[in-house]
Amino acid sequence: MTRLDRSSHSGGGHAKGSRPLNSLLAGHRLAQPPSAPGSRASVQDIDLIDILWRQDIDLGAGREIFDYSHRQKEQDVDKDLQDGAEREDTWSGEGAEALARNLLVDGETGESFPAQFPADISSITEAVPSESEPPGLQNNLLSPLLTGTESPFDLEQQWQDLMSIMEMQAMEVNTSTSEILYSAPPGDPLSTNYSLAPNTPINQNVSLHQASLGGCSQDFSLFSPEVESLPAASSSALLPLVPSNSTSLNSTFGSTNLAGLFFPPQLNGTANDTAGPELPDPLGGLLDEAMLDEISLMDLAIEEGFNPVQASQLEEEFDSDSGLSLDSSHSPSSLSSSEGSSSSSSSSSSSSASSSSSASSSASSSFSEEGAVGYSSDSETLDLEEAEGAVGYQPEYSKLCRMSYQDPSPLSCLPYLEHVGHNHTYNMAPSALDAADLPPPGALKKGGKEKQADFLDKQMSRDEHRARAMKIPFTNDKIINLPVEEFNELLSKYQLSEAQLSLIRDIRRRGKNKMAAQNCRKRKLDTILNLERDVEDLQRDKARLLREKVEFLRSLRQMKQKVQSLYQEVFGRLRDENGRPYSPSQYALQYAGDGSVLLIPRTLADQQARRQERKPKDRRK
DNA sequence: TGCGTGTGTCATTTG
DNA sequence: ACCAAATGACACACG
């Protein structure tokens, strides 16, 4: 048969009355009740926000943190102190309470950190002429991390903070700031709590050579004769701090220069005694990773559909210590276009459920009748029912209903429309087929019966017309649906011409192929539905992983802040033989692999840091 | 009239 | 090798 055959296709077209059904069904896909599409997406977003909010509650953040103005209020010291008083014991131990008076407390984590330097800090600065510093810079003397927590919504500042974290490896000590920081005046809570008064006899451990830990040597019996283990050239200056009792300082940092962590790099251009060499910090790797993670987070956001605002908000969320600022409209899960379409589909499903519920159930039952052809989608139907809630594909239901091809009556799912169905199909209702095959046209009375005959004629497919013209003695339904053996038996019962046999075989072939095509299309649709569901699942997973990532990064930063505070606390308590604090520009704390802490000169620390820095690079090569 | 959709059909592949 | 099913591609009807 040639294509010309199709040009004479008379029965292949849709009956005029058939379209309303198609339109009705297709309408489920196109029509979108005004409320549903958006509402579904927003509900999901709200869920996301709620999840994030709950996470934040765990971390001590309230929902009001999402409000920028509220976040500014958060800097109110009183409030912070109140929060901090509740949580300080988690990390600071004795003396922290007094310390907290001069600390800002992270609204979420409860971490305390120096909010500002003592009021007389400028006078101290002046007392150290060579290291004087513009007062305006003094707030930067602490780690950028700390300042970052004070203005969590200053995005640029946050970024710089992170960059500063990165640069902690290349930390250079600002002498003046260090002096200011660690030369606390007598009235300073830091000094009053962590160091002896200037008059207090230095609690000098002989074995410590030069270093002592004023006021808290019982807590930090850090010193032991480990100087010998250090290079002779610098041994005189080495002040090993070995905790006699297990200190809170963990050895997991390895032999690392801690000082680099806590003194901002090149805060200004002022003199730096030990300027130059980069120092690795114990968290350097982590910081790098965190930084890279954040960058990759941004990249991910940008690459995978986050718009810049969303990406920046995600970044902001990460940057913001205490604030989760994911706007509901920027939920990662709401970014998917496919999800949007799905949600709109679901809306139509819900809205059209009443009108199509019967169709759906009929569709399910009709699918179960497809066994003859082999493509049963019972399970698929169930899946679709489940998916309707999550994905929403009522329109596909309509399609499937329409595509219950194995049913002799294509419109069986909507019985009242059954007779309207356009009929290119070979699977006509038996009555129609019988009418087409059995009664001779002239047998019917005139009038209404003629009209009925015309109608039935129009209902007949092309091949049915041909079969009738060729006087095929059995129905097309039998021709198509009988098993091979029975079909052959049927053929053998009749004396058929070659033309008749050929037509019968064509009818059978086309009929089978038509059903196969219908099943194929149905399968294709199901595949698409499944893929869309998979995409949605993956998007949900992705959003969840992103949230987890943000949480991990946040907790990582909090841990770094705690380590930083501990470092400052320990270093600030150290006193030399004259009872004076050590200059952070000249000395640094360093973890040894065995858990001990050494006070070593900066120069030595720089050298070691440089050495350590080379190792990983060499490994990479 | 052009477009999108649904359908039937053919040719071919696949099992 | 044969057959049926599956599938891509095309044409057509319809809204």
Side-chain angles (χ1 to χ4, degrees), chain A residues 453-468:
Chain A
D454 289 345
F455 177 76
L456 292 175
D457 276 352
K458 287 177 183 176
Q459 292 279 305
M460 288 197 305
S461 71
R462 205 170 27 145
D463 277 339
E464 282 161 351
H465 280 289
R466 289 193 194 114
R468 204 163 130 191

Side-chain angles (χ1 to χ4, degrees), chain A residues 122-372:
Chain A
S122 57
S123 63
I124 298 175
T125 307
E126 291 167 2
V128 189
S130 63
E131 297 168 349
S132 62
E133 182 107 19
L137 292 171
Q138 288 167 1
N139 278 343
N140 292 332
L141 299 181
L142 289 175
S143 162
L145 275 175
L146 300 182
T147 60
T149 58
E150 294 183 48
S151 54
F153 271 79
D154 186 341
L155 199 58
E156 185 174 348
Q157 177 63 40
Q158 298 287 318
W159 183 255
Q160 289 175 350
D161 292 345
L162 286 164
M163 294 303 291
S164 300
I165 293 172
M166 290 285 286
E167 292 173 3
M168 281 179 178
Q169 293 183 358
M171 200 62 73
E172 293 180 9
V173 177
N174 182 306
T175 305
S176 64
T177 65
S178 303
E179 292 293 339
I180 290 166
L181 176 58
Y182 293 104
S183 303
D188 182 16
L190 268 170
S191 67
T192 55
N193 286 281
Y194 296 121
S195 65
L196 296 173
N199 296 336
T200 308
I202 297 169
N203 183 359
Q204 189 160 10
N205 186 334
V206 174
S207 66
L208 298 179
H209 297 262
Q210 301 172 14
S212 70
L213 187 58
C216 55
S217 58
Q218 295 149 338
D219 300 314
F220 292 87
S221 305
L222 297 173
F223 310 119
S224 70
E226 285 202 0
V227 176
E228 291 78 10
S229 65
L230 294 166
S234 56
S235 63
S236 61
L238 292 179
L239 301 172
L241 306 175
V242 178
S244 59
N245 52 0
S246 62
T247 72
S248 60
L249 296 175
N250 200 314
S251 63
T252 53
F253 291 111
S255 178
T256 319
N257 182 5
L258 284 174
L261 250 184
F262 308 122
F263 303 107
Q266 294 173 318
L267 286 176
N268 52 44
T270 58
N272 187 331
D273 304 350
T274 60
E278 296 181 349
L279 295 178
D281 69 83
L283 299 178
L286 286 175
L287 293 173
D288 284 345
E289 279 189 29
M291 194 66 190
L292 291 173
D293 279 352
E294 192 198 2
I295 293 170
S296 68
L297 195 65
M298 296 288 292
D299 291 343
L300 188 69
I302 293 169
E303 288 174 5
E304 303 192 11
F306 289 76
N307 65 39
V309 174
Q310 292 161 346
S312 67
Q313 290 212 351
L314 191 61
E315 178 199 5
E316 189 173 346
E317 182 199 16
F318 164 70
D319 260 351
S320 166
D321 240 359
S322 55
L324 284 171
S325 57
L326 274 186
D327 187 85
S328 62
S329 63
H330 298 119
S331 158
S333 59
S334 68
L335 302 172
S336 141
S337 58
S338 68
E339 186 164 318
S341 65
S342 310
S343 55
S344 61
S345 301
S346 78
S347 65
S348 66
S349 77
S350 58
S351 64
S352 63
S354 59
S355 64
S356 63
S357 59
S358 62
S360 300
S361 56
S362 299
S364 303
S365 59
S366 65
F367 290 152
S368 64
E369 295 167 5
E370 288 183 4

Side-chain angles (χ1 to χ4, degrees), chain A residues 512-558:
Chain A
K512 292 250 180 223
N513 185 246
K514 189 179 80 174
M515 289 189 296
Q518 289 166 343
N519 284 330
C520 184
R521 283 165 177 147
K522 181 168 169 287
R523 259 192 306 273
K524 199 181 281 184
L525 272 178
D526 288 343
T527 301
I528 291 171
L529 291 181
N530 288 331
L531 287 174
E532 286 181 348
R533 271 205 301 268
D534 290 346
V535 168
E536 282 211 347
D537 290 344
L538 290 173
Q539 283 170 341
R540 270 191 288 269
D541 289 346
K542 178 182 162 188
R544 177 180 54 79
L545 291 171
L546 276 174
R547 288 195 298 268
E548 291 176 2
K549 184 175 185 178
V550 168
E551 287 302 314
F552 286 140
L553 290 174
R554 188 203 316 283
S555 63
L556 175 65
R557 195 167 73 172
Q558 290 170 358

Side-chain angles (χ1 to χ4, degrees), chain A residues 366-386:
Chain A
S366 65
F367 290 152
S368 64
E369 295 167 5
E370 288 183 4
V373 175
Y375 182 70
S376 169
S377 64
D378 282 342
S379 60
E380 300 277 351
T381 306
L382 290 176
D383 284 345
L384 285 169
E385 281 177 352
E386 292 174 4

Side-chain angles (χ1 to χ4, degrees), chain A residues 362-363 365-366 369 401 404 407-418:
Chain A
S362 299
S365 59
S366 65
E369 295 167 5
C401 170
S404 59
D407 193 311
S409 171
L411 303 174
S412 63
C413 57
L414 290 173
Y416 59 93
L417 290 173
E418 188 172 340

